[in-house]
Amino acid sequence: MLKITPDLIVLCGLVTGAVDVRSISPDQWVNLVQLARVHGLAPLLIRVLKQSGINLQDDPIWQSLVQYMYQNMARAAMLEKSFQDLIAILYKAQILSIWLKGAALATTVYGDWSLRPMSDLDVLVPYERRDEALRVVQQHSYDFNHSEQNLFGAQESLSAHNHHYQLIGGAGGNAYLELHYWLLGRDHSHLLPLDGLNWFLDQTETVDRYGYPLLILKPEAHFLYLCAHALLQHSEDDFYALRFLDLHELVKHYRLDWEIIVKKAVELKWTYAVKRALKITVQLYATQIPETVLKDLMSSENDESSTRYAMMLSGKGSRGERLWSDIQQIKWKNLPAFVYRVLFPSRIYMKHRYQIPSHNPVFPYYFYRWFDQARQVFWMVLERTRYSMRHSMRTKHPQSDWNSR
Amino acid sequence: MKFSQLQPKIPEHALFRELGGEAVLLNLKTEQYFGLDEVGTRMWVLLSQSPTVQVVFETLLEEYDVEAPQLTQDLEELLERLIKGGLLELQASS
């Protein structure tokens, strides 16, 4: 369920400059700092605080923020270095590579990688060249990332119906890379048919950075993708305010052609996702959009499959639910590889996931992993059971709930 | 001052990032990072550009309202921490 609290609205106002730092009482800061960290807004909050003349080293209230700041800057340094290397690697291999989300936005809209936190780098390559691109990056230190979010580590078994390869490598061996060959995952050909994907591949522009041509989506295409990513990939159930700040910043930074956005949203059957993403963005950041845009989107809305999909996700988009749906798609022949990866993920992943000091042996940590996985499965089953019990008692159609929001 | 005639050298596995006057140094080999406040950031920038530690010391003495013994202590402390963290090497100046 979407959780937009009054404190979150205040925080969003702080980072956009709509709320004055001096209007915040000392008691409020504890929660605001916590929220800023959870929602990826801490770097911008730090910038606002500094601009207001607050010395973060002076007061213990900012201690966690300072710690976060250094951690985030270190991560940004590592990711940007990996990004620079990847641009060169893919350019030399002559593989069309379009940078998405954090990497593209940090470079163009935010202006500094430390201001736009990200956990990974996202790049889109043509579907038919995905394995070639995979081989190229594998030759440059990247390996499959066998993480939890990635079905306990068995993505090779799922690549046929997934939308990206999740890899780890690069600077220090710790950069996560999502090598996309489709823009949306889960039921991707339904939510974004091939024609639609090809349209995105055509909607690119080149930015001159890092000594190589850097390809990113045009602002309108990026805007559409980010709306779909927020609502159809992650859902409101998995709410993260930074995703909507990205939309706000795109609107602020570019003179978007709203006609193209509405027209394409209709063609892609994404009107619901775009409308909903815009409403949330406006609610959080008081983003200025032309009045007609929402009206146009609503008048074009029909019984889209993506609407139903977004609603379904918002109600039952739990991690366990999605995980189970993915596991069901594994073919029998891939099951042994899946089980093996669940039990024995790579050493590099183990070191990262369990923060194993470089001088410690990895093997003993596998025992902890098995315990940890069993515990997570238990909680997921419990979550699913609770969900089923709660919803079996509901008599209303989900649509009636949705419209009341 | 210790190290005064030595030349600072930044190893390839050390990454530096600055934002709003503060900075972080990351050792890619050990994955350890090291936060620097504004003065520390200035020290690092000078270390990355100067032919010897002595030049860094003299520049800082001019730029900041600090007594030489205090600056010596602070600079040596930073140098030792950076060297220990694998973020800086000192070599005989050519």
Side-chain angles (χ1 to χ4, degrees):
Chain A
M1 180 185 274
L2 182 61
K3 287 176 191 158
I4 297 184
T5 60
D7 266 359
L8 185 61
I9 304 263
V10 170
L11 174 67
C12 294
L14 279 167
V15 301
T16 56
V19 173
D20 191 336
V21 169
R22 285 165 298 188
S23 69
I24 308 298
S25 69
D27 294 349
Q28 266 182 293
W29 279 119
V30 178
N31 191 32
L32 289 173
V33 165
Q34 169 68 9
L35 272 177
R37 293 188 57 168
V38 168
H39 284 281
L41 304 179
L44 287 171
L45 179 64
I46 291 167
R47 185 172 70 170
V48 168
L49 290 169
K50 283 184 166 186
Q51 283 169 348
S52 307
I54 293 172
N55 186 345
L56 299 180
Q57 313 281 352
D58 280 353
D59 194 324
I61 200 171
W62 311 121
Q63 203 179 344
S64 69
L65 216 47
V66 171
Q67 197 185 352
Y68 172 91
M69 177 178 72
Y70 288 134
Q71 199 175 21
N72 178 56
M73 284 168 77
R75 183 147 192 84
M78 182 271 291
L79 282 173
E80 191 176 13
K81 170 80 175 78
S82 307
F83 174 65
Q84 288 176 33
D85 295 342
L86 281 165
I87 295 172
I89 291 163
L90 292 165
Y91 179 77
K92 285 174 189 165
Q94 298 186 318
I95 295 173
L96 176 82
S97 320
I98 304 167
W99 293 91
L100 308 166
K101 297 193 279 181
L105 295 167
T107 308
T108 55
V109 174
Y110 289 86
D112 192 297
W113 278 58
S114 302
L115 291 175
R116 199 321 186 155
M118 65 191 94
S119 54
D120 52 32
L121 302 168
D122 295 270
V123 64
L124 173 70
V125 297
Y127 185 80
E128 62 280 6
R129 298 194 71 187
R130 66 193 190 284
D131 287 333
E132 191 187 343
L134 175 65
R135 273 195 302 278
V136 168
V137 297
Q138 279 180 321
Q139 283 163 6
H140 290 85
S141 84
Y142 285 86
D143 190 9
F144 282 108
N145 162 32
H146 306 291
S147 74
E148 254 74 6
Q149 290 176 332
N150 186 356
L151 296 179
F152 301 97
Q155 65 177 317
E156 298 98 315
S157 320
L158 288 160
S159 62
H161 65 83
N162 213 332
H163 68 302
H164 57 44
Y165 295 118
Q166 284 186 296
L167 305 153
I168 186 168
N174 278 315
Y176 289 102
L177 169 67
E178 289 194 353
L179 189 66
H180 294 249
Y181 40 83
W182 213 281
L183 275 176
L184 291 175
R186 300 170 211 287
D187 209 7
H188 56 61
S189 53
H190 192 61
L191 290 172
L192 178 63
L194 187 60
D195 283 355
L197 179 67
N198 286 336
W199 180 79
F200 280 98
L201 289 171
D202 283 340
Q203 297 297 304
T204 59
E205 61 185 28
T206 308
V207 181
D208 241 355
R209 299 278 156 86
Y210 309 111
Y212 290 94
L214 167 64
L215 219 53
I216 58 171
L217 288 175
K218 283 182 182 170
E220 290 79 11
H222 210 177
F223 187 89
L224 280 163
Y225 166 59
L226 292 173
C227 290
H229 176 257
L231 269 290
L232 302 176
Q233 182 79 43
H234 284 281
S235 89
E236 293 189 31
D237 194 46
D238 180 17
F239 175 63
Y240 187 49
L242 181 65
R243 290 194 194 111
F244 301 93
L245 180 64
D246 288 344
L247 295 174
H248 171 79
E249 291 293 333
L250 273 176
V251 173
K252 218 175 77 177
H253 197 81
Y254 297 101
R255 188 184 285 270
L256 294 177
D257 187 334
W258 291 103
E259 228 173 275
I260 290 183
I261 290 174
V262 172
K263 182 171 166 261
K264 208 63 207 176
V266 174
E267 277 177 36
L268 294 167
K269 298 185 177 173
W270 287 0
T271 51
Y272 175 81
V274 176
K275 179 195 77 180
R276 189 71 192 137
L278 267 175
K279 279 190 172 180
I280 295 169
T281 308
V282 171
Q283 190 183 354
L284 292 174
Y285 303 102
T287 314
Q288 301 289 315
I289 56 162
E291 274 179 29
T292 52
V293 173
L294 283 175
K295 281 183 197 160
D296 289 349
L297 284 167
M298 280 192 276
S299 66
S300 316
E301 206 171 357
N302 49 30
D303 184 26
E304 294 175 359
S305 54
S306 62
T307 311
R308 289 196 298 275
Y309 192 82
M311 288 166 61
M312 183 276 284
L313 277 182
S314 77
K316 50 191 269 204
S318 75
R319 196 169 141 220
E321 188 78 26
R322 295 181 190 196
L323 182 67
W324 179 241
S325 136
D326 281 347
I327 288 174
Q328 285 175 313
Q329 296 182 59
I330 297 177
K331 289 179 184 161
W332 280 103
K333 66 174 184 175
N334 292 327
L335 210 54
F338 171 75
V339 173
Y340 179 76
R341 280 303 184 193
V342 170
L343 297 175
F344 298 102
S346 68
R347 285 170 55 83
I348 193 166
Y349 169 71
M350 287 295 288
K351 286 195 157 210
H352 181 83
R353 173 68 179 82
Y354 301 103
Q355 297 180 1
I356 304 171
S358 44
H359 53 273
N360 280 16
V362 172
F363 187 73
Y365 287 86
Y366 282 102
F367 293 101
Y368 172 73
R369 174 181 171 75
W370 299 333
F371 166 73
D372 186 44
Q373 298 292 288
R375 192 178 54 178
Q376 287 193 38
V377 169
F378 171 78
W379 284 114
M380 279 191 291
V381 170
L382 192 68
E383 191 180 281
R384 181 73 188 102
T385 310
R386 279 183 184 156
Y387 174 84
S388 303
M389 287 173 70
R390 211 167 45 230
H391 287 260
S392 65
M393 289 186 282
R394 282 174 64 164
T395 50
K396 287 190 293 184
H397 187 276
Q399 176 94 41
S400 53
D401 255 11
W402 186 262
N403 289 336
S404 66
R405 282 184 188 145
Chain B
M1 180 192 178
K2 270 200 290 185
F3 316 124
S4 62
Q5 293 312 312
L6 296 178
Q7 183 183 8
K9 185 177 173 273
I10 298 162
E12 273 187 18
H13 58 258
L15 287 185
F16 170 74
R17 180 155 210 98
E18 187 186 1
L19 183 69
E22 300 196 67
V24 75
L25 289 166
L26 171 69
N27 184 331
L28 285 173
K29 275 189 184 167
T30 62
E31 297 161 33
Q32 284 179 332
Y33 62 88
F34 193 91
L36 296 170
D37 61 12
E38 288 194 29
V39 179
T41 303
R42 182 65 187 142
M43 285 180 175
W44 171 264
V45 170
L46 289 171
L47 284 167
S48 67
Q49 296 168 349
S50 305
T52 61
V53 174
Q54 182 63 29
V55 175
V56 177
F57 175 80
E58 284 163 10
T59 312
L60 289 168
L61 201 59
E62 269 180 33
E63 287 182 1
Y64 291 91
D65 183 18
V66 61
E67 296 296 324
Q70 181 65 51
L71 179 58
T72 303
Q73 189 187 329
D74 290 349
L75 188 55
E76 282 181 358
E77 210 174 280
L78 180 71
L79 287 169
E80 276 163 8
R81 288 177 72 186
L82 292 175
I83 292 165
K84 196 177 167 194
L87 294 160
L88 188 76
E89 291 162 7
L90 292 177
Q91 56 188 22
S93 54
S94 48

